[in-house]
Amino acid sequence: MALASTDTVIRTGRTSRFIIYTVLIVFCIYYLLPLYVMLVNSLKPLDEIRGGGMLSLPQEWTLAPWGSAWSTAQIGVEATGLRPYFLNSLLMVVPAVAISTMLGALNGYVLTKWRFRGDTIIFGLMLFGCFIPFQMVLIPMARMLGLMGLAGTVPGLIFVHLVYGIGFSTLYFRNYYAQFPDELVRAAMIDGAGFFRIFQRIMLPSSGPIAVVCIIWQFTNIWNDFLFGASFADFDSQPMTVALNNLVSSSTGVKEYNVHFAGAIMAALPTLLVYVVAGRFFVRGLMAGSVKG
Amino acid sequence: MGFLDIKNATKSYGTVKVLHETDISVEEGEFLVLVGPSGCGKSTLLNMIAGLEEVTSGEIAIRGNRMNEVRPADRNIAMVFQSYALYPNMNVAQNIAFGLEMHGVVKAERDKAVQGVAELLQITQLLDRKPGQLSGGQRQRVAMGRALVRDPDVFLFDEPLSNLDAKLRVDMRTEIKKLHQKLGRTIVYVTHDQIEALTLSTRIAVMFGGYVQQLGTPKEIYDNPANMFVAGFMGSPSMNLFPAKLSAADGKAFANFALAEGGTGSLAVPDPALARHDGRDIILGIRPEAITDPDGADRNSKDIHHVEARVEITEPAGSDTFVVTEFGGKEVTGRFRADVDVKPAKVQTFAVNMEKAVLFDPVTEERVV
Ligand SMILES: Nc1ncnc2c1ncn2[C@@H]1O[C@H](COP(=O)(O)OP(=O)(O)O)[C@@H](O)[C@H]1O
Ligand SMILES: [Mg+2]
C-alpha cells in the first residue's frame, strides 16, 4: 500500500499535479467563501458593511458584534443575547446524545447477542421509526409531552430527541455488534460474566469507533434541529437555533448584519468542534481495527 | 454412573431434531473425541454439555449432579473455541484471569495462577500483549491457558486446531496429548479430522446425521467399524468397500467379485458360519494396508489370499506406493512397499489379509460379521 502510493506520487508529472492542486484549491475556496464572508463581516463595524464590499477585510477590526450577539442583542422581546439559549442547547444536547448512544449500544447488544422471539420485528420497527418525517409526529408528540407534563421544557426536548435518536443509534450499534463474534459472548458466559458484565467489560471497550460515529451523528442532528425546538420549547427553554432565528428576524430598526454573522458562527462552533475533536478519534479507531484484523 | 454422563439426551430446533437420543458415559480422566462430518451435531452436543444450548430432552450430569438447569459458569467446565474467542480489549494476562475474576478469586491468587499456567504453556513473555498482536499458534495457547487456569472438572474443545496451518496443527496435537497425560483431566474434544480423533482419544464417538454411529476405543473403531459410514469415515486412505457375493464350498465361505479385466476374484472368508449364507450379496470392507504385495503381507496372519488383478494406476507416497485396481466394479487401493516394481496396466498379484476383512449388509449398511 505504502509502496504503491509513493510510486504514484513519483509518476505524476508536474503539470498534472498542478492541475490537481488547482482544482482542489478552487473547491476549497468555493466551500470556504461563505465562512470567510461571515467571519470578516462579524469583525467589522456596521457602517463598513453598509458601505459595500462584503468581501474586503475590515478596515477597523472590532469584537463588539461578538459581545453583542453573546450577551446584549435583542432576542424576541428581551435583550439577553444568545448566551442563555446556548446554555439551553448544551443542557439539551449533552444528555440527549449520551442517553441515546448508551441505549443504542444496549439495544444493539441485545438484538445481536441475546436474541429473542420477534427481535427482528422490533428492530424493523425501530428502523421504520428513523424514517418517519418529523412533521408527522409534531401533533401527537405535543399531546404526549403535555400528558407527561414536559411541554415547553428542556427535558421535554431531550425526550423528543431521544425518541428520534434511538432508532439511528440502535442501527449503528446493531450492525457493529453483528460482526462481533458470538463465541466471545459464549466464552464470557462460561467464564462467569452475566448480561451487564459482558456488556461493560467486553462489548463497550471495543465499541470506540462506532460510538464516535454515533455521537457525531446525534450531536449534529440534535444541535442543528430547528423544528422540534421551535415547536416544543417555551421562551426560556428555546435552543440556540431558534434563538438565532429570533435574533435575525426580530430586530426593530436597523439590521445588524455583523451581529447576525457573529451569532451564526457561534451556533455553528460546537458542531465544528465535535468534528475536529472526535473526528481524529474516529480515524484512530478505524486504524486500530484494521491493523488488528 | 460415570464422571460425565449424557443420558438419553436430544436436541431439537423447532421441529428439526439435530441430535437423536444419545447415551455416553465418560470416566474421569478420559479423552473423549466426538468426530464426524460438518453438520452432524458435534458442536451441538458439546454446547449442551457446556450449558450454552438447552437440552431438549434427557439429562447431562457431572459427578452425578444433574446439570440441565445449571448456568454454564456454575458447571465447573472450561471451553476452548475454534476462533479462540480471546477478548480483544484485554491483554493475555487479563484474558486468562478473567474467569477467575468473575468467580471471585482475589488478585494475588489470580496473578499466581496466571503465572503458573503461562509457564506451563510457555507464554510468559506474551502476558502483556493484546490478542491482535499474537500469531495463530500463540492465540491458541492463550485460549488453552484460559481454560487450564480454571482447573475445571471437564475441558471442552470445539475444533481447537482447525484454524492452524498443517505443521502447527500436528505440533499442537502432540502438545494437547502431552498436557492430557500430564494433568490427567477429563476432556471432551470435537473435531471433523479423523486422524486427530485416532491420535488423541482414549475413546471416540463417531457421529453422523445427529446419531452416534459408534462409541469405542480408537482400535475398536478402526478394526471393527459398526457400519459402512464408520468404516469409510475413519482411516486414511479410507477402507475399500466393494460388493461381493457369498458362496459355499467344502464347508468354507468365499466372497466372489468381478475383476476389471474379466473373470472373478474369490477370497475365503475366515468365519465358516457364513457358508450357510450361500448366494447372499454383501459389501466387503478391507483397509489398504491389508492389501499388499505378496512379500509384504502380514506374516502373523493365517488368512492371506492372493488375487491376480490388473493395476490401474500407482501413487508413490515415499515410504509406500498405493496401487489402485478394481474389485467388484469399485476402485480398490492396496499399500505396497515402495521398492516393489509395479507398473500400470500390468497384471499383479495382490495379497489380501482376510483376517482384517469386515462384511456389511448392502441394504442396512450394518456389519454382518
Ligand atoms: N440455532 C440453530 N437453529 C437451527 N438449526 C441449527 C442451529 N444450530 C445448529 N443447527 C443445525 O444443527 C445441525 C448440527 O449443527 P452443529 O452441531 O453445529 O454441527 P457440527 O457437527 O458441524 O458441529 C446442523 O445441521 C445445523 O444446521
Ligand atoms: Mg461445529
Side-chain angles (χ1 to χ4, degrees), chain B residues 217-232:
Chain B
T217 63
K219 190 164 168 50
E220 282 165 4
I221 300 270
Y222 191 78
D223 288 341
N224 284 307
N227 56 41
M228 278 171 65
F229 173 79
V230 177

Side-chain angles (χ1 to χ4, degrees), chain A residues 180-194 197-198 200-206 291-293, chain B residues 47 50 52-53 72-73 77-79 81-90 98-99 101-103 132 146 150:
Chain A
F180 212 79
D182 291 348
E183 283 193 347
L184 277 177
V185 175
R186 297 176 150 221
M189 280 166 76
I190 289 180
D191 270 344
R197 209 64 94 77
I198 295 173
Q200 171 211 342
R201 294 287 298 274
I202 292 158
M203 306 300 282
L204 273 189
S206 310
V291 171
K292 197 167 33 179
Chain B
N47 289 335
L52 296 170
E53 298 279 3
I77 47 130
M79 190 154 170
F81 294 88
Q82 180 172 357
S83 67
Y84 315 136
L86 303 179
Y87 311 126
N89 54 309
M90 302 182 198
F98 188 70
E101 188 191 338
M102 292 297 116
H103 282 82
R146 203 168 57 178
R150 295 271 313 282

Side-chain angles (χ1 to χ4, degrees), chain B residues 65-357:
Chain B
N65 300 318
R66 180 181 158 94
M67 286 290 145
N68 292 33
E69 293 79 21
V70 179
R71 292 190 312 146
D74 300 331
R75 293 188 180 199
N76 203 16
I77 47 130
M79 190 154 170
V80 177
F81 294 88
Q82 180 172 357
S83 67
Y84 315 136
L86 303 179
Y87 311 126
N89 54 309
M90 302 182 198
N91 68 24
V92 168
Q94 290 164 336
N95 258 286
I96 296 177
F98 188 70
L100 295 178
E101 188 191 338
M102 292 297 116
H103 282 82
V105 177
V106 296
K107 177 94 169 77
E109 254 174 75
R110 293 203 301 261
D111 290 346
K112 218 173 102 204
V114 169
Q115 207 60 39
V117 164
E119 273 162 31
L120 180 69
L121 293 169
Q122 295 160 7
I123 50 173
T124 315
Q125 75 287 1
L126 304 177
L127 286 177
D128 294 328
R129 297 221 201 140
K130 289 278 178 70
Q133 302 165 309
L134 302 177
S135 70
Q138 291 170 332
R139 285 180 209 192
Q140 226 284 313
R141 277 168 194 275
V142 176
M144 297 221 305
R146 203 168 57 178
L148 284 171
V149 80
R150 295 271 313 282
D151 194 21
D153 283 337
V154 184
F155 286 98
L156 305 174
F157 289 84
D158 194 349
E159 312 228 11
L161 304 184
S162 56
N163 283 353
L164 299 178
D165 57 51
K167 165 95 176 68
L168 204 50
R169 186 152 52 205
V170 174
D171 293 347
M172 284 308 292
R173 198 168 74 197
T174 313
E175 200 140 334
I176 291 178
K177 182 138 190 171
K178 273 194 207 150
L179 270 177
H180 177 244
Q181 271 164 8
K182 186 164 167 186
L183 304 174
R185 313 313 300 270
T186 311
I187 296 178
V188 181
Y189 185 107
V190 162
T191 180
H192 63 265
D193 180 346
Q194 48 90 21
I195 298 180
E196 239 169 66
L198 289 168
T199 49
L200 283 174
S201 65
T202 57
R203 266 202 306 165
I204 298 176
V206 183
M207 297 181 65
F208 181 59
Y211 289 94
V212 173
Q213 303 286 333
Q214 189 174 2
L215 177 66
T217 63
K219 190 164 168 50
E220 282 165 4
I221 300 270
Y222 191 78
D223 288 341
N224 284 307
N227 56 41
M228 278 171 65
F229 173 79
V230 177
F233 189 77
M234 302 300 288
S236 159
S238 60
M239 183 185 267
N240 298 301
L241 294 165
F242 56 93
K245 203 186 244 321
L246 288 178
S247 68
D250 307 334
K252 279 188 177 172
F254 292 87
N256 309 292
F257 46 89
L259 295 172
E261 66 277 13
T264 310
S266 184
L267 290 165
V269 182
D271 187 355
L274 284 169
R276 66 195 150 81
H277 289 297
D278 193 3
R280 176 174 174 180
D281 286 320
I282 50 133
I283 301 284
L284 197 55
I286 307 174
R287 292 205 179 274
E289 63 267 26
I291 302 178
T292 57
D293 53 289
D295 290 337
D298 183 357
R299 284 172 212 294
N300 298 322
S301 170
K302 290 181 282 295
D303 274 297
I304 304 287
H305 299 278
H306 289 182
V307 177
E308 303 283 326
R310 197 182 64 210
V311 174
E312 306 279 327
I313 48 165
T314 63
E315 293 168 349
S319 56
D320 305 289
T321 300
F322 292 104
V323 179
V324 180
T325 180
E326 212 177 279
F327 288 175
K330 293 267 194 243
E331 270 192 2
V332 166
T333 304
R335 191 152 117 189
F336 283 36
R337 289 168 304 149
D339 44 9
V340 178
D341 185 36
V342 264
K343 292 265 183 314
K346 291 262 168 59
V347 173
Q348 172 78 32
T349 306
F350 290 81
V352 182
N353 181 0
M354 288 304 284
E355 265 186 2
K356 297 279 186 184

Side-chain angles (χ1 to χ4, degrees), chain A residues 30 40-42 47 63 105 136 140 213 244 260 269:
Chain A
Y30 180 76
V40 291
N41 288 300
S42 74
D47 306 337
L63 278 174
M136 238 167 94
V213 172
L244 181 67
H260 299 171
L269 270 182

